[in-house]
Amino acid sequence: MAKEKKLVEAITSMEEDFAKWYTDVVIKAELIDYSSIRGCMIIRPYGYAIWENIQKHLDNKFKATGVENVYMPMFIPESLLEKEKDHVEGFAPEVAWVTHGGNEKLQERLCVRPTSETLFCDFYSNIIQSYRDLPKLYNQWCSVVRWEKTTRPFLRSVEFLWQEGHTAHATKEEANERTIQMLNVYADFCENVLAIPMIKGKKSDKEKFAGAEATYTIEALMHDGKALQSATSHDFGDGFAKAFDIQYTDKNNKLQYVYQTSWGMTTRIIGAVIMVHGDNSGLVLPPKIAPIQAMIIPINQTKEGVLEKAFELKDRLKDFKVKVDDSDKTPGWKFSEQEMRGIPIRIEIGPKDIKNNQAVIVRRDIREKIFVSLDEIEGKVAEILDKMQSDMLERARAHRDAHTYVAKNMEEFEHIINEKPGFIKAMWCMDEACETEIKEKTGATSRCMPFEQEHLDDHCVCCGKPAKVMAYWGKAY
Amino acid sequence: MAKEKKLVEAITSMEEDFAKWYTDVVIKAELIDYSSIRGCMIIRPYGYAIWENIQKHLDNKFKATGVENVYMPMFIPESLLEKEKDHVEGFAPEVAWVTHGGNEKLQERLCVRPTSETLFCDFYSNIIQSYRDLPKLYNQWCSVVRWEKTTRPFLRSVEFLWQEGHTAHATKEEANERTIQMLNVYADFCENVLAIPMIKGKKSDKEKFAGAEATYTIEALMHDGKALQSATSHDFGDGFAKAFDIQYTDKNNKLQYVYQTSWGMTTRIIGAVIMVHGDNSGLVLPPKIAPIQAMIIPINQTKEGVLEKAFELKDRLKDFKVKVDDSDKTPGWKFSEQEMRGIPIRIEIGPKDIKNNQAVIVRRDIREKIFVSLDEIEGKVAEILDKMQSDMLERARAHRDAHTYVAKNMEEFEHIINEKPGFIKAMWCMDEACETEIKEKTGATSRCMPFEQEHLDDHCVCCGKPAKVMAYWGKAY
């Protein structure tokens, strides 16, 4: 019995079932595949190429700020994980435990890193002696494991890829500056490369990282009105330094504790790209992150000279990531595949075009057909990709702004949550009881207290007492 | 009590204790640090930068042959590991087992991947249906875990970094071609970039990979006369395909099993760079892989104009990886550090040099002092680095050739092993009994049956029966 390749079927529309649309896209665009291990995904070449592009951009940005890459062990001895009290409470319930090596039972259990603060602290306590050793600005690219019950491709998985930066500084101020600096690196990257606008702000105490003094976050709004925490940057103060005894001799020969930070972005951000830019034909990739920026699709490719012209075009467009689809599928089929994979533009060229010394460029996002003279195609492709990149950011920003609401009391808050999913801006007394009450009543969590504050009202949206801050709220991934 | 940075002490000489020299170098050149987890090392920025350069070179070479990167889960369910009989026998005794996720005991144990054949096979059985889906040429960069009892930095560690390529092909011939092609990629990389000459050949049945039909290897000779297996490439035939039911429909609509390969290079290769090129002053890095190619060391740097000139020089040498050491250490100290870290050249510049419009370039390997006019420094640096790169390869080749011996009987074999460590070329009947006997008597293993065969004798070095092949033998890391 011969197996046959399945035909590409239409995907669920996002209006019908957004969650189903999402998983249809990740599978049909061949970003991931499910594996035999619950909650662990296989990142396929097309999905991994997006991650490689993300890595390249971020890694360059990190290095430009003096960051160096290292590699730490993937295992953490139980006793090391337990050194910082808040940290172990936050992570111990969701780690995978190695208990046996070969045929022997280990004397001490090892967890597979859920994050590496404890390993970096242990390392720093060995290598930091003097103020001359500071700052330490280390980062690693690796995978981490968190034993999540419910998983979704990219958004929440048992194993995921990320980078985790860990720095140690002589002063509290310097550590805080680094925390904000890296948050800005993430936000700029998301806006300028991924075309996703971000709200920058501080997490509430309830939502901050286990062991952090303060957690900063960038938050994006997805097409369905749910928020997605896109990267975080943590200021640890000297809490970890005290737990791990990381001290240095200052210029006056006095022992001082270091101040630390950590910051990370994960493969989750690919989920954001899908849910901010995708449409009912599939993925839409911003040109700056697309593994293939243009697909040349020959029309009537068996006609003399068509394929030659297509490849000639590819050679001329060597400044871009271009492929020719010369498979024996129909042009219509090729268009569907290019659209499903979110390739920013397709370039159609057939016998008639060649006669007219032109090609037809179609933008993936707005499907605009542009007739371009072959004489000026290099410049036109650059122009169209640039325009598409900036249009995508503006469209995402417009969508977010149109779905950002103000609530002054719980009636308004609940009405918005039920009727108009999106970000809710509301004043808050900063009491955790109100945060908990809002979550219980509406399912919304505090996303952040944005750096750009507005005074919407004098009173807390929940308890009516004097408000201290404006926060963004929303249901979140 | 103030902690003080320890002064750099001299390293053990390689003649005195090669093993101690090796660990001194990896620690003092700040390539790695030991971690709290037995057998797991921390790769520090300087060591990791070397690995990043190796990755960059190899990844480009892989992609040029059509290979695509993916990411597979780090866990393998026990039942999946057990599917191929030879494979599980080879690996099960040395894997780490995850038995608990959070607070729950898992229904099935998961091992941390020691290698990912089983995961790729499981994946391939899902995505390969037709001849149109072939070949699949996938690779991943990741870390793997093998529960080794005795470990040494880079050479043998519980966790190490590597790449593992896994391919699936329609025919046996194509799979075999790919196996050899990737072996050649490794050998060319080692020779042209790492300046390490390699012996290419086939492993004996006893030494081949668990589950492979044939394993090909590249073998290098270290400074102490021991061999180091530097990369391997495995031809699996259709063994895994049958165990995992990976079939495709061919052009005649018949079901066929695929043929597979896998191939890998690990952080172990950094150990080879150290043990082939290093000397009693520390590391010596080939220019093409060095994270820093030239260190500019100002002499009398407090004198007016010296530091300015040093940084001006750095700017002019922007085609190279150059740093200025403007710390407040003495020049002598800076020289020692540059030598310990194996930075290919140092450029000394002081007031006298500036007056004479010159700089002094010192090659790390042969310590040759070259006076260079500042007018032509860019060209001279390029020339000196090129020459150093090729000299290093030639020196390594000469060392290897001078330590490659011929044995025609066991008396000669044992004499060489005891007196003149190195490669031994000897004829072999290909009987495993002789291989075992040689190992028991001398500690030497068959390194490979080289592609370049020589007829040294008619008889097996061990049993005296008719010889079938010439093999390289040696003690190995």
Side-chain angles (χ1 to χ4, degrees), chain A residues 36 71 95 97 100 102 122 159, chain B residues 36 71 95 97 100 102 122 159:
Chain A
S36 298
Y71 187 76
V95 296
W97 290 105
H100 290 74
D122 192 39
E159 182 186 7
Chain B
S36 297
Y71 187 77
V95 296
W97 291 105
H100 290 74
D122 192 38
E159 182 186 7

Side-chain angles (χ1 to χ4, degrees), chain A residues 155 218-220 222 226-230 268 272 275 447 477:
Chain A
L155 300 176
I218 51 173
E219 301 277 331
M222 303 298 102
K226 281 167 88 174
L228 189 129
Q229 174 183 305
S230 302
R268 180 168 225 233
M275 291 195 291
R447 304 315 309 153
Y477 279 97

Side-chain angles (χ1 to χ4, degrees), chain A residues 335-380:
Chain A
F335 296 168
S336 299
E337 285 191 333
Q338 169 254 327
E339 295 195 341
M340 181 67 77
R341 303 179 79 194
I343 296 167
I345 57 172
R346 70 168 176 258
I347 305 175
E348 306 171 7
I349 186 150
K352 245 192 257 172
D353 301 303
I354 295 171
K355 215 177 115 192
N356 296 330
N357 192 42
Q358 68 174 29
V360 182
I361 297 184
V362 184
R363 257 172 72 167
R364 170 65 184 87
D365 57 340
I366 53 171
R367 288 196 176 68
E368 185 189 12
K369 271 196 166 197
I370 308 156
F371 291 84
V372 174
S373 157
L374 291 182
D375 298 336
E376 50 186 25
I377 195 145
E378 294 94 338
K380 277 289 176 189

Side-chain angles (χ1 to χ4, degrees), chain A residues 20-34:
Chain A
K20 182 78 169 49
W21 167 83
Y22 176 80
T23 47
D24 279 358
V25 171
V26 295
I27 295 296
K28 299 240 164 119
E30 299 194 343
L31 299 179
I32 71 122
D33 205 348
Y34 297 106

Side-chain angles (χ1 to χ4, degrees), chain A residues 89-257:
Chain A
E89 273 177 22
F91 283 103
E94 59 173 41
V95 296
W97 290 105
V98 173
T99 56
H100 290 74
N103 301 316
E104 280 170 34
K105 192 173 176 195
L106 304 185
Q107 293 195 305
E108 180 180 17
R109 298 200 295 180
L110 303 172
C111 80
V112 181
R113 63 180 162 219
T115 180
S116 306
E117 275 73 13
T118 52
L119 293 165
F120 275 92
C121 285
D122 192 39
F123 180 36
Y124 284 152
S125 74
N126 288 328
I127 62 167
I128 295 172
Q129 273 97 32
S130 140
Y131 68 91
R132 289 188 198 87
D133 300 325
L134 294 172
K136 287 280 181 246
L137 308 172
Y138 290 168
N139 174 65
Q140 75 174 350
W141 293 93
C142 64
S143 80
V144 288
V145 168
R146 297 179 187 176
W147 214 258
E148 305 277 1
K149 303 267 183 219
T150 318
T151 62
R152 297 187 61 195
F154 293 122
L155 300 176
R156 196 169 294 276
S157 49
V158 165
E159 182 186 7
F160 59 87
L161 301 180
W162 78 348
Q163 58 65 222
E164 48 178 324
H166 296 266
T167 69
H169 305 267
T171 67
K172 193 177 176 59
E173 293 68 35
E174 198 185 298
N176 188 258
E177 270 166 33
R178 172 59 63 168
T179 316
I180 303 299
Q181 179 183 21
M182 300 320 284
L183 193 79
N184 286 329
V185 165
Y186 291 134
D188 291 348
F189 167 72
C190 289
E191 297 216 2
N192 299 331
V193 180
L194 305 182
I196 303 178
M198 290 287 165
I199 304 290
K200 295 189 269 191
K202 191 176 173 181
K203 284 282 183 193
S204 68
D205 278 353
K206 184 182 156 82
E207 298 286 334
K208 76 183 184 190
F209 182 83
E213 214 163 71
T215 288
Y216 300 91
T217 181
I218 51 173
E219 301 277 331
L221 195 69
M222 303 298 102
H223 205 85
D224 63 345
K226 281 167 88 174
L228 189 129
Q229 174 183 305
S230 302
T232 47
S233 187
H234 315 293
D235 186 343
F236 289 127
D238 58 3
F240 274 95
K242 284 179 173 163
F244 284 82
D245 194 29
I246 314 173
Q247 296 190 73
Y248 71 97
T249 312
D250 70 12
K251 287 185 181 169
N252 304 318
N253 219 26
K254 288 245 162 61
L255 269 185
Q256 305 281 1
Y257 285 105

Side-chain angles (χ1 to χ4, degrees), chain B residues 258-270:
Chain B
V258 302
Y259 293 84
Q260 291 171 269
T261 82
S262 81
W263 26 275
M265 180 173 268
T266 82
T267 35
R268 178 168 227 233
I269 198 68
I270 298 175

Side-chain angles (χ1 to χ4, degrees), chain A residues 236-300:
Chain A
F236 289 127
D238 58 3
F240 274 95
K242 284 179 173 163
F244 284 82
D245 194 29
I246 314 173
Q247 296 190 73
Y248 71 97
T249 312
D250 70 12
K251 287 185 181 169
N252 304 318
N253 219 26
K254 288 245 162 61
L255 269 185
Q256 305 281 1
Y257 285 105
V258 301
Y259 293 84
Q260 290 172 272
T261 82
S262 82
W263 26 274
M265 180 174 267
T266 82
T267 34
R268 180 168 225 233
I269 198 69
I270 297 175
V273 171
I274 299 167
M275 291 195 291
V276 166
H277 300 303
D279 65 21
N280 283 334
S281 301
L283 204 59
V284 182
L285 290 176
K288 286 192 188 169
I289 209 70
I292 306 166
Q293 294 174 311
M295 182 64 88
I296 299 173
I297 300 182
I299 311 295
N300 276 322

